[in-house]
Amino acid sequence: MRDVSIVGIGQTPVGEHWDKPLHILGSEAILMALQDARLEMPEALFVGNMLSGQLSRQENLGALIADHAGFCGIEAAKIEAACASGAAALRMAYMAVAGGLYDVVVASGVEKMTDAPAEEVTLALTAAADAIYEGEHGLSFVALNALLMRRYLYEYGYQREDLAGFAINAHRNAVHNPNAMFPRAISAEAFARAKMIADPVSLLDSSAIADGAAAVVVTTTDLARAQGLPAVRIAGSATATDSVALHDRRDPLFLQAAQTSAQRALAQAGVGAEDIDFFELHDAFTIMTALSLEASWFAPRGGGARLAMEDAISLQGRIPICTMGGLKARGHPVGATGIYQVVEATQQLRGQAGANQLQGCRVGMTQNIGGSGAIVITHVLERVE
Amino acid sequence: MRDVSIVGIGQTPVGEHWDKPLHILGSEAILMALQDARLEMPEALFVGNMLSGQLSRQENLGALIADHAGFCGIEAAKIEAACASGAAALRMAYMAVAGGLYDVVVASGVEKMTDAPAEEVTLALTAAADAIYEGEHGLSFVALNALLMRRYLYEYGYQREDLAGFAINAHRNAVHNPNAMFPRAISAEAFARAKMIADPVSLLDSSAIADGAAAVVVTTTDLARAQGLPAVRIAGSATATDSVALHDRRDPLFLQAAQTSAQRALAQAGVGAEDIDFFELHDAFTIMTALSLEASWFAPRGGGARLAMEDAISLQGRIPICTMGGLKARGHPVGATGIYQVVEATQQLRGQAGANQLQGCRVGMTQNIGGSGAIVITHVLERVE
């Protein structure tokens, strides 16, 4: 298999894009990524998206966006893996280039959620859970995370305020991200006072409904070098799955798929968790942040929350996370999130992260989660010297 | 790249499966395919599906079906390309095995459409069209095909009855297919009298709303040989796209994406259209059959209908199509159709097509269309001697 690198990145601001339908929003990010790579046209396009059918009555996004972006004729498809759809699209692009089917492929993610009433979006999002055992019984994603968070607090003796650091860190890092949905800092007091959504999950534990699109151009590392393009290697790429329904897991507080996919991606990259300079993880809820850190070897079981309390996750900390605001504050347009994570990791590794730049970072990890841990896709990215 | 073969096939009957949710139906076909291949577990699973989010409030089908089929942990994703979702899932499996990422991958397709009211299904299917320019204006898929068919009849001086042969052939071939939804012959008189849906498209020009699932196991041809498995080579595999909205096409009566994808698949296989022994095409509507035959070099422009009038498409004809009943009579559970086509082509190439067996067939072609020609995926399959 061939060595694969990211040579172009593009992203729209995350927010409410009432004026732009899916294909315009999606095309914008793709054209930015191609311009960044100084390339005109990919050979294939994979679009990560979860909700376009339910919320916009639009499927066939691969062909639709390929046409509108000006690539009519190329191979294209939509890839769906709930909130991990973005990283799943990148996996397909990686496979196509690593395997030698294509030399230049675009992986993108796009989601429009804000045009529909919030209750409709909440219902649509339950499609990431088990419809029969969870969705039909009214278990929304906030409710599922509330169950997990309550159990976590009980099991390890934390208070809900002990998770505040995750949200505070994300919002602090979003301040200097021009594409962030909530570019403003929040205080511990604000977190403590935040409106309760599904006890113990408050407004500030949760990511918000959002629109957005992001894209990356991938090619072989050899081609990138030959063309003199600033490249970030995909050193590791791995997907793992778990039971979709929470009650089917032996231990709901352990994200087995996160561990397996991180293990595979790290092994492929030939590095350990201790070599990771920063981690763009899937902080859709503060509890997911804690569980993701624990499953991915950055903290012992029950120790994830402690990283927040000790501020080990800040830009100056031992393992910086959500360096551009994360799902919480950059925003979480679900099918696009996995690509935003990779775009931001690429910015860090290229030294283009502005005020949030991590000094001397060399290896970053991204982790995109679909459902309450049902599918997890981890990428290890490395600066090409 | 490695040479790839199909070594296992599975399919459920097409029909109304009110008693089986998506994951049960999907798992059944997958387990049959694995049993057929004498294998226990794939390394990855790609599920073709279009409507599960809209009609069943269930996404994340990759993880869900992987878990229920007994493969919890493996890589999985749902692939969506409207009615070409099945073949798009096979493309991913092909890429993964050809490229060397995995040795054994399952590509499956599953769709459940009959639990929802027909008007809801019609609305959901418009998601394959351009939502803004077509869907929101009330253009259903039947209506889009009616526009195409009327133009075709006008342009080439046909009567609607001139397309009857396509439906008659499909129904005749379905009689001996135990998995067909409509295993009964129809007469030319029945076609002439058929209830009009959207003039000139009648009930017997159209495929019906259906449930069903199919699956294939793919591996390398070398591994298949080493294990003594009866293999059918994927000699050619290609996807091409076109504008989604019909009005954006220079010539709506020419399926450019069908021609491009057939051209690529044939070139990869090193054969010409004249070498194809049979063609499992996308007869969602009789007009699509005519256009697909023309775009794929089996008939000149405007000459597709003539193949039906001359009966060149029957099992004894020059270019047999829909050998097990096609979308019209085997049935068209949209996201599963592309896999059904490949399962049936494999049956023919293995000599397992029963009463419908084509004598001495060696090379078959399948073609799966998403939207009104917006995405077309063609595979050339070859018996491994």
Side-chain angles (χ1 to χ4, degrees):
Chain A
M1 290 198 324
R2 308 191 295 178
D3 204 76
V4 177
S5 282
I6 292 163
V7 293
I9 54 175
Q11 59 181 321
T12 73
V14 178
E16 302 188 357
H17 291 284
W18 295 343
D19 53 333
K20 288 177 188 165
L22 281 158
H23 61 276
I24 304 272
L25 201 60
S27 298
E28 279 186 9
I30 291 167
L31 295 176
M32 276 188 258
L34 282 165
Q35 192 171 23
D36 182 51
R38 290 180 275 141
L39 291 169
E40 290 204 347
M41 181 137 167
E43 294 166 289
L45 168 69
F46 297 112
V47 179
N49 172 274
M50 177 187 170
L51 300 167
S52 71
Q54 291 188 76
L55 298 183
S56 307
R57 286 277 184 217
Q58 181 68 71
E59 291 289 1
N60 218 352
L61 283 189
L64 186 78
I65 296 179
D67 181 23
H68 281 271
F71 323 135
C72 193
I74 67 165
E75 169 151 16
K78 162 172 159 171
I79 316 295
E80 192 278 327
C83 300
S85 299
L90 178 58
R91 273 289 290 165
M92 300 305 159
Y94 173 81
M95 287 201 323
V97 174
L101 275 93
Y102 292 117
D103 289 332
V104 179
V105 177
V106 167
S108 74
V110 60
E111 204 75 74
K112 273 192 63 83
M113 307 167 73
T114 71
D115 288 358
E119 58 273 23
E120 174 65 20
V121 179
T122 301
L123 194 58
L125 284 168
T126 63
D130 187 312
I132 293 172
Y133 289 104
E134 298 180 325
E136 286 190 12
H137 299 278
L139 260 178
S140 70
F141 258 86
V142 186
L144 283 162
N145 280 276
L147 291 173
L148 283 174
M149 184 166 164
R150 180 161 295 291
R151 186 73 200 174
Y152 185 84
L153 300 183
Y154 169 82
E155 202 72 55
Y156 301 113
Y158 291 115
Q159 306 297 310
R160 62 167 282 267
E161 290 78 7
D162 293 335
L163 300 183
F166 292 132
I168 293 169
N169 173 66
H171 275 269
R172 186 173 50 214
N173 292 345
V175 170
H176 299 288
N177 179 358
N179 294 303
M181 187 172 190
F182 302 116
R184 45 183 177 271
I186 60 165
S187 64
E189 296 66 41
F191 185 91
R193 281 195 319 268
K195 193 176 148 189
M196 198 52 67
I197 311 278
D199 196 359
V201 172
S202 79
L203 196 66
L204 290 181
D205 286 290
S206 331
S207 52
I209 288 168
D211 307 330
V216 296
V217 181
V218 301
T219 187
T220 66
T221 305
D222 285 346
L223 271 171
R225 280 207 181 97
Q227 311 252 341
L229 296 168
V232 167
R233 275 187 70 218
I234 301 181
S237 170
T239 301
T241 52
D242 200 346
S243 310
V244 173
L246 213 48
H247 67 257
D248 282 336
R249 311 247 177 96
R250 199 169 302 181
D251 178 356
L253 291 185
F254 183 65
L255 298 178
Q256 180 62 58
Q259 181 144 97
T260 306
S261 86
Q263 192 165 36
R264 289 181 193 158
L266 289 166
Q268 187 190 347
V271 298
E274 66 281 4
D275 300 313
I276 298 298
D277 294 318
F278 65 99
F279 184 21
E280 294 300 338
L281 51 66
H282 195 90
D283 59 322
F285 295 93
T286 50
I287 179 62
M288 273 291 136
T289 309
L291 297 182
S292 171
L293 284 165
E294 294 174 19
S296 308
W297 290 290
F298 294 105
R301 292 292 305 273
R306 207 155 301 279
L307 293 187
M309 296 158 79
E310 293 164 0
D311 212 26
I313 53 167
S314 72
L315 296 177
Q316 294 74 35
R318 181 159 62 82
I319 178 70
I321 65 171
C322 308
T323 68
M324 300 301 280
L327 281 62
K328 176 70 199 80
R330 170 242 296 131
H332 181 29
V334 294
T337 288
I339 303 289
Y340 273 101
Q341 293 176 316
V342 171
V343 164
E344 292 163 355
T346 302
Q347 289 179 310
Q348 287 289 2
L349 293 167
R350 283 181 178 180
Q352 300 175 336
N356 291 6
Q357 183 62 49
L358 299 166
Q359 293 314 311
C361 66
R362 209 181 54 80
V363 188
M365 187 158 107
T366 63
Q367 189 170 81
N368 197 194
I369 302 184
S372 44
I375 180 161
V376 184
I377 305 178
T378 306
H379 283 96
V380 175
L381 305 174
E382 217 173 65
R383 201 171 62 202
V384 174
E385 307 294 346
Chain B
M1 288 194 325
R2 308 191 296 177
D3 203 75
V4 177
S5 282
I6 292 163
V7 293
I9 53 176
Q11 58 181 320
T12 73
V14 178
E16 301 188 354
H17 292 284
W18 294 344
D19 54 333
K20 289 176 188 164
L22 281 158
H23 61 276
I24 305 274
L25 201 60
S27 297
E28 280 185 8
I30 291 167
L31 295 176
M32 278 187 258
L34 284 164
Q35 193 171 21
D36 182 50
R38 291 180 274 141
L39 291 169
E40 291 205 346
M41 181 139 168
E43 295 166 289
L45 169 69
F46 298 111
V47 179
N49 171 275
M50 177 187 170
L51 300 167
S52 71
Q54 291 187 77
L55 297 182
S56 307
R57 286 277 183 219
Q58 181 68 72
E59 291 289 1
N60 219 350
L61 283 189
L64 186 78
I65 296 180
D67 182 23
H68 281 271
F71 323 135
C72 192
I74 67 165
E75 169 151 17
K78 161 172 160 172
I79 315 296
E80 191 278 328
C83 298
S85 299
L90 178 58
R91 272 291 290 164
M92 301 305 159
Y94 172 81
M95 286 201 323
V97 174
L101 275 92
Y102 292 116
D103 290 332
V104 179
V105 177
V106 167
S108 74
V110 60
E111 203 76 73
K112 273 192 66 82
M113 307 167 74
T114 71
D115 288 359
E119 59 273 22
E120 175 64 20
V121 179
T122 301
L123 194 58
L125 284 167
T126 63
D130 187 312
I132 294 173
Y133 289 104
E134 297 180 324
E136 285 190 11
H137 299 279
L139 261 178
S140 71
F141 258 87
V142 186
L144 282 163
N145 279 276
L147 291 173
L148 283 174
M149 185 168 164
R150 180 161 295 290
R151 185 74 199 172
Y152 186 84
L153 301 182
Y154 169 82
E155 202 73 55
Y156 301 113
Y158 290 115
Q159 305 298 311
R160 64 166 280 267
E161 289 79 7
D162 293 336
L163 300 183
F166 291 133
I168 293 169
N169 173 68
H171 275 270
R172 186 173 51 216
N173 292 345
V175 169
H176 299 289
N177 179 357
N179 294 303
M181 186 173 192
F182 302 116
R184 46 183 176 270
I186 60 165
S187 64
E189 295 67 41
F191 185 92
R193 283 196 319 267
K195 191 177 151 191
M196 200 50 70
I197 310 279
D199 197 0
V201 171
S202 79
L203 197 65
L204 290 181
D205 286 290
S206 332
S207 52
I209 288 167
D211 306 332
V216 295
V217 181
V218 301
T219 186
T220 66
T221 306
D222 285 345
L223 271 171
R225 281 207 182 98
Q227 311 251 339
L229 296 168
V232 167
R233 275 185 72 217
I234 301 180
S237 170
T239 302
T241 52
D242 200 347
S243 309
V244 173
L246 213 47
H247 66 257
D248 282 336
R249 310 246 178 97
R250 199 168 304 179
D251 177 355
L253 291 184
F254 183 65
L255 298 179
Q256 180 62 58
Q259 181 144 97
T260 306
S261 86
Q263 192 165 37
R264 288 181 194 159
L266 288 166
Q268 188 191 347
V271 297
E274 66 282 3
D275 301 313
I276 298 298
D277 295 319
F278 65 99
F279 184 21
E280 295 299 340
L281 50 68
H282 194 92
D283 59 320
F285 295 92
T286 49
I287 179 62
M288 273 291 135
T289 310
L291 298 182
S292 171
L293 284 165
E294 295 173 19
S296 308
W297 291 291
F298 294 105
R301 292 293 306 273
R306 208 155 300 280
L307 293 187
M309 296 159 79
E310 295 164 358
D311 212 25
I313 54 168
S314 72
L315 297 177
Q316 294 75 35
R318 181 159 63 80
I319 179 69
I321 65 171
C322 308
T323 69
M324 301 301 280
L327 281 61
K328 175 69 198 81
R330 171 244 296 133
H332 182 29
V334 296
T337 287
I339 303 288
Y340 273 101
Q341 294 176 316
V342 171
V343 164
E344 292 163 355
T346 302
Q347 289 179 308
Q348 288 288 3
L349 293 166
R350 282 181 179 181
Q352 299 176 337
N356 291 5
Q357 183 62 48
L358 299 166
Q359 294 314 310
C361 67
R362 211 182 54 78
V363 188
M365 188 157 107
T366 62
Q367 189 171 80
N368 197 192
I369 303 184
S372 45
I375 180 161
V376 184
I377 306 178
T378 306
H379 283 96
V380 175
L381 304 176
E382 216 174 65
R383 201 171 62 201
V384 174
E385 309 292 349

Tab-separated table of all heavy atoms in Angstrom, chain A residues 332-371:
chain	number	residue	atom	x	y	z
A	332	HIS	N	-20.571	21.313	16.007
A	332	HIS	CA	-20.686	19.892	15.681
A	332	HIS	C	-21.772	19.663	14.605
A	332	HIS	O	-22.835	19.117	14.888
A	332	HIS	CB	-21.015	19.129	16.982
A	332	HIS	CG	-21.149	17.651	16.827
A	332	HIS	ND1	-20.484	16.915	15.864
A	332	HIS	CD2	-21.884	16.738	17.537
A	332	HIS	CE1	-20.801	15.625	15.985
A	332	HIS	NE2	-21.651	15.487	16.979
A	333	PRO	N	-21.481	20.092	13.358
A	333	PRO	CA	-22.377	19.716	12.262
A	333	PRO	C	-22.069	18.240	11.978
A	333	PRO	O	-21.047	17.921	11.367
A	333	PRO	CB	-21.932	20.619	11.108
A	333	PRO	CG	-20.609	21.210	11.506
A	333	PRO	CD	-20.312	20.839	12.908
A	334	VAL	N	-22.905	17.342	12.458
A	334	VAL	CA	-22.477	15.969	12.753
A	334	VAL	C	-21.668	15.267	11.661
A	334	VAL	O	-20.577	14.766	11.917
A	334	VAL	CB	-23.644	15.089	13.250
A	334	VAL	CG1	-24.135	15.593	14.597
A	334	VAL	CG2	-24.802	15.054	12.268
A	335	GLY	N	-22.196	15.221	10.418
A	335	GLY	CA	-21.459	14.489	9.384
A	335	GLY	C	-20.180	15.178	8.932
A	335	GLY	O	-19.361	14.579	8.239
A	336	ALA	N	-20.002	16.434	9.294
A	336	ALA	CA	-18.806	17.174	8.892
A	336	ALA	C	-17.725	17.147	9.964
A	336	ALA	O	-16.551	17.422	9.684
A	336	ALA	CB	-19.180	18.626	8.570
A	337	THR	N	-18.110	16.847	11.196
A	337	THR	CA	-17.196	16.975	12.329
A	337	THR	C	-15.880	16.225	12.153
A	337	THR	O	-14.805	16.756	12.462
A	337	THR	CB	-17.914	16.512	13.618
A	337	THR	OG1	-18.875	17.520	13.954
A	337	THR	CG2	-16.956	16.315	14.767
A	338	GLY	N	-15.936	15.010	11.669
A	338	GLY	CA	-14.717	14.210	11.514
A	338	GLY	C	-13.712	14.867	10.587
A	338	GLY	O	-12.495	14.720	10.764
A	339	ILE	N	-14.208	15.595	9.590
A	339	ILE	CA	-13.300	16.295	8.675
A	339	ILE	C	-12.787	17.586	9.324
A	339	ILE	O	-11.612	17.924	9.189
A	339	ILE	CB	-13.986	16.589	7.325
A	339	ILE	CG1	-14.486	15.280	6.681
A	339	ILE	CG2	-13.031	17.317	6.387
A	339	ILE	CD1	-13.414	14.363	6.141
A	340	TYR	N	-13.645	18.304	10.051
A	340	TYR	CA	-13.158	19.484	10.792
A	340	TYR	C	-11.993	19.107	11.707
A	340	TYR	O	-11.003	19.822	11.808
A	340	TYR	CB	-14.281	20.109	11.643
A	340	TYR	CG	-15.137	21.116	10.913
A	340	TYR	CD1	-16.389	20.773	10.422
A	340	TYR	CD2	-14.694	22.417	10.703
A	340	TYR	CE1	-17.179	21.698	9.751
A	340	TYR	CE2	-15.478	23.348	10.034
A	340	TYR	CZ	-16.719	22.983	9.562
A	340	TYR	OH	-17.479	23.910	8.892
A	341	GLN	N	-12.121	17.978	12.397
A	341	GLN	CA	-11.049	17.547	13.307
A	341	GLN	C	-9.724	17.390	12.565
A	341	GLN	O	-8.668	17.810	13.038
A	341	GLN	CB	-11.419	16.207	13.947
A	341	GLN	CG	-12.607	16.268	14.898
A	341	GLN	CD	-12.969	14.885	15.422
A	341	GLN	OE1	-13.006	13.899	14.675
A	341	GLN	NE2	-13.246	14.790	16.717
A	342	VAL	N	-9.813	16.779	11.367
A	342	VAL	CA	-8.600	16.521	10.593
A	342	VAL	C	-8.050	17.816	9.994
A	342	VAL	O	-6.842	18.029	9.932
A	342	VAL	CB	-8.898	15.459	9.504
A	342	VAL	CG1	-7.738	15.316	8.542
A	342	VAL	CG2	-9.230	14.120	10.162
A	343	VAL	N	-8.947	18.711	9.587
A	343	VAL	CA	-8.520	20.020	9.077
A	343	VAL	C	-7.751	20.765	10.167
A	343	VAL	O	-6.662	21.307	9.931
A	343	VAL	CB	-9.750	20.842	8.610
A	343	VAL	CG1	-9.393	22.318	8.444
A	343	VAL	CG2	-10.311	20.270	7.310
A	344	GLU	N	-8.287	20.762	11.384
A	344	GLU	CA	-7.635	21.497	12.477
A	344	GLU	C	-6.313	20.838	12.883
A	344	GLU	O	-5.333	21.528	13.181
A	344	GLU	CB	-8.585	21.574	13.668
A	344	GLU	CG	-9.793	22.457	13.360
A	344	GLU	CD	-10.963	22.279	14.314
A	344	GLU	OE1	-10.880	21.380	15.188
A	344	GLU	OE2	-11.950	23.017	14.182
A	345	ALA	N	-6.288	19.521	12.883
A	345	ALA	CA	-5.037	18.825	13.210
A	345	ALA	C	-3.977	19.164	12.162
A	345	ALA	O	-2.795	19.353	12.485
A	345	ALA	CB	-5.273	17.322	13.279
A	346	THR	N	-4.419	19.255	10.901
A	346	THR	CA	-3.485	19.613	9.825
A	346	THR	C	-2.968	21.040	10.026
A	346	THR	O	-1.774	21.315	9.849
A	346	THR	CB	-4.184	19.461	8.458
A	346	THR	OG1	-4.630	18.110	8.331
A	346	THR	CG2	-3.252	19.796	7.306
A	347	GLN	N	-3.868	21.945	10.437
A	347	GLN	CA	-3.426	23.319	10.723
A	347	GLN	C	-2.332	23.314	11.797
A	347	GLN	O	-1.310	23.984	11.669
A	347	GLN	CB	-4.605	24.178	11.208
A	347	GLN	CG	-5.616	24.506	10.111
A	347	GLN	CD	-6.784	25.335	10.652
A	347	GLN	OE1	-7.394	24.984	11.656
A	347	GLN	NE2	-7.098	26.425	9.974
A	348	GLN	N	-2.551	22.547	12.857
A	348	GLN	CA	-1.547	22.475	13.929
A	348	GLN	C	-0.222	21.938	13.403
A	348	GLN	O	0.850	22.490	13.671
A	348	GLN	CB	-2.054	21.568	15.073
A	348	GLN	CG	-3.163	22.163	15.935
A	348	GLN	CD	-2.684	23.300	16.832
A	348	GLN	OE1	-1.523	23.702	16.819
A	348	GLN	NE2	-3.607	23.853	17.607
A	349	LEU	N	-0.292	20.856	12.640
A	349	LEU	CA	0.947	20.195	12.198
A	349	LEU	C	1.689	21.014	11.138
A	349	LEU	O	2.893	20.887	10.971
A	349	LEU	CB	0.626	18.793	11.663
A	349	LEU	CG	0.137	17.827	12.759
A	349	LEU	CD1	-0.476	16.572	12.141
A	349	LEU	CD2	1.276	17.453	13.708
A	350	ARG	N	0.943	21.884	10.439
A	350	ARG	CA	1.583	22.785	9.474
A	350	ARG	C	2.080	24.064	10.121
A	350	ARG	O	2.706	24.888	9.460
A	350	ARG	CB	0.551	23.200	8.423
A	350	ARG	CG	0.224	22.202	7.358
A	350	ARG	CD	-0.790	22.909	6.475
A	350	ARG	NE	-1.216	22.156	5.340
A	350	ARG	CZ	-2.100	22.613	4.451
A	350	ARG	NH1	-2.627	23.825	4.615
A	350	ARG	NH2	-2.460	21.895	3.430
A	351	GLY	N	1.705	24.273	11.383
A	351	GLY	CA	2.066	25.534	12.028
A	351	GLY	C	1.168	26.682	11.620
A	351	GLY	O	1.592	27.837	11.602
A	352	GLN	N	-0.082	26.379	11.261
A	352	GLN	CA	-1.012	27.419	10.805
A	352	GLN	C	-2.183	27.615	11.764
A	352	GLN	O	-3.267	28.004	11.342
A	352	GLN	CB	-1.562	27.050	9.407
A	352	GLN	CG	-0.486	26.919	8.336
A	352	GLN	CD	-1.046	26.440	7.008
A	352	GLN	OE1	-2.087	25.796	6.968
A	352	GLN	NE2	-0.340	26.733	5.924
A	353	ALA	N	-1.958	27.314	13.039
A	353	ALA	CA	-3.070	27.376	13.981
A	353	ALA	C	-3.163	28.715	14.700
A	353	ALA	O	-3.904	28.857	15.683
A	353	ALA	CB	-2.969	26.218	14.978
A	354	GLY	N	-2.419	29.701	14.214
A	354	GLY	CA	-2.539	31.063	14.744
A	354	GLY	C	-2.244	31.139	16.231
A	354	GLY	O	-1.270	30.563	16.718
A	355	ALA	N	-3.094	31.849	16.942
A	355	ALA	CA	-2.890	32.070	18.370
A	355	ALA	C	-2.933	30.765	19.160
A	355	ALA	O	-2.440	30.707	20.287
A	355	ALA	CB	-3.958	33.025	18.904
A	356	ASN	N	-3.515	29.728	18.579
A	356	ASN	CA	-3.637	28.443	19.278
A	356	ASN	C	-2.528	27.463	18.898
A	356	ASN	O	-2.600	26.285	19.242
A	356	ASN	CB	-4.981	27.801	18.948
A	356	ASN	CG	-6.137	28.562	19.560
A	356	ASN	OD1	-5.948	29.627	20.144
A	356	ASN	ND2	-7.334	28.035	19.434
A	357	GLN	N	-1.524	27.942	18.181
A	357	GLN	CA	-0.482	27.038	17.692
A	357	GLN	C	0.263	26.342	18.845
A	357	GLN	O	0.725	26.984	19.770
A	357	GLN	CB	0.520	27.827	16.837
A	357	GLN	CG	1.608	26.954	16.220
A	357	GLN	CD	1.039	25.893	15.272
A	357	GLN	OE1	0.231	26.210	14.407
A	357	GLN	NE2	1.434	24.636	15.453
A	358	LEU	N	0.348	25.029	18.739
A	358	LEU	CA	1.141	24.245	19.691
A	358	LEU	C	2.579	24.259	19.200
A	358	LEU	O	2.839	23.924	18.035
A	358	LEU	CB	0.626	22.809	19.736
A	358	LEU	CG	-0.823	22.653	20.195
A	358	LEU	CD1	-1.343	21.251	19.878
A	358	LEU	CD2	-0.930	22.943	21.692
A	359	GLN	N	3.478	24.603	20.066
A	359	GLN	CA	4.868	24.719	19.631
A	359	GLN	C	5.483	23.345	19.403
A	359	GLN	O	5.392	22.462	20.255
A	359	GLN	CB	5.690	25.518	20.646
A	359	GLN	CG	5.266	26.991	20.734
A	359	GLN	CD	5.087	27.654	19.365
A	359	GLN	OE1	5.954	27.558	18.504
A	359	GLN	NE2	3.938	28.302	19.137
A	360	GLY	N	6.096	23.189	18.239
A	360	GLY	CA	6.874	21.981	17.955
A	360	GLY	C	6.072	20.697	17.870
A	360	GLY	O	6.622	19.608	18.038
A	361	CYS	N	4.764	20.787	17.630
A	361	CYS	CA	3.997	19.541	17.551
A	361	CYS	C	4.339	18.793	16.271
A	361	CYS	O	4.595	19.388	15.234
A	361	CYS	CB	2.499	19.798	17.670
A	361	CYS	SG	1.802	20.735	16.313
A	362	ARG	N	4.359	17.483	16.371
A	362	ARG	CA	4.831	16.641	15.270
A	362	ARG	C	3.806	15.558	14.934
A	362	ARG	O	3.648	15.159	13.799
A	362	ARG	CB	6.150	15.987	15.699
A	362	ARG	CG	7.116	15.672	14.589
A	362	ARG	CD	8.357	14.999	15.155
A	362	ARG	NE	8.012	13.829	15.949
A	362	ARG	CZ	7.710	12.622	15.442
A	362	ARG	NH1	7.741	12.430	14.154
A	362	ARG	NH2	7.385	11.610	16.241
A	363	VAL	N	3.106	15.043	15.970
A	363	VAL	CA	2.142	13.957	15.768
A	363	VAL	C	0.831	14.294	16.463
A	363	VAL	O	0.811	14.583	17.665
A	363	VAL	CB	2.669	12.618	16.341
A	363	VAL	CG1	1.741	11.474	15.949
A	363	VAL	CG2	4.093	12.337	15.884
A	364	GLY	N	-0.265	14.248	15.707
A	364	GLY	CA	-1.576	14.506	16.304
A	364	GLY	C	-2.493	13.320	16.068
A	364	GLY	O	-2.277	12.509	15.166
A	365	MET	N	-3.537	13.230	16.901
A	365	MET	CA	-4.495	12.145	16.724
A	365	MET	C	-5.892	12.746	16.664
A	365	MET	O	-6.196	13.703	17.377
A	365	MET	CB	-4.376	11.163	17.893
A	365	MET	CG	-5.195	9.911	17.737
A	365	MET	SD	-4.531	8.556	18.771
A	365	MET	CE	-5.768	8.504	20.054
A	366	THR	N	-6.732	12.208	15.791
A	366	THR	CA	-8.136	12.630	15.725
A	366	THR	C	-9.005	11.408	15.988
A	366	THR	O	-8.645	10.288	15.624
A	366	THR	CB	-8.506	13.203	14.339
A	366	THR	OG1	-8.351	12.172	13.348
A	366	THR	CG2	-7.634	14.381	13.974
A	367	GLN	N	-10.132	11.638	16.635
A	367	GLN	CA	-11.032	10.517	16.922
A	367	GLN	C	-12.483	10.972	16.777
A	367	GLN	O	-12.943	11.863	17.478
A	367	GLN	CB	-10.786	9.982	18.334
A	367	GLN	CG	-11.538	8.693	18.603
A	367	GLN	CD	-11.091	8.062	19.922
A	367	GLN	OE1	-11.532	8.468	20.982
A	367	GLN	NE2	-10.208	7.092	19.844
A	368	ASN	N	-13.196	10.302	15.884
A	368	ASN	CA	-14.570	10.651	15.533
A	368	ASN	C	-15.465	9.491	15.970
A	368	ASN	O	-15.191	8.336	15.661
A	368	ASN	CB	-14.606	10.833	14.007
A	368	ASN	CG	-15.800	11.581	13.457
A	368	ASN	OD1	-16.034	11.552	12.253
A	368	ASN	ND2	-16.586	12.240	14.288
A	369	ILE	N	-16.533	9.820	16.725
A	369	ILE	CA	-17.383	8.773	17.307
A	369	ILE	C	-18.796	8.856	16.740
A	369	ILE	O	-19.396	9.931	16.695
A	369	ILE	CB	-17.430	8.904	18.845
A	369	ILE	CG1	-16.007	8.828	19.415
A	369	ILE	CG2	-18.330	7.832	19.464
A	369	ILE	CD1	-15.926	8.849	20.936
A	370	GLY	N	-19.343	7.708	16.334
A	370	GLY	CA	-20.717	7.648	15.845
A	370	GLY	C	-21.601	6.885	16.813
A	370	GLY	O	-21.247	5.795	17.248
A	371	GLY	N	-22.774	7.448	17.139
A	371	GLY	CA	-23.609	6.850	18.172
A	371	GLY	C	-22.899	7.009	19.509
A	371	GLY	O	-21.915	7.738	19.625
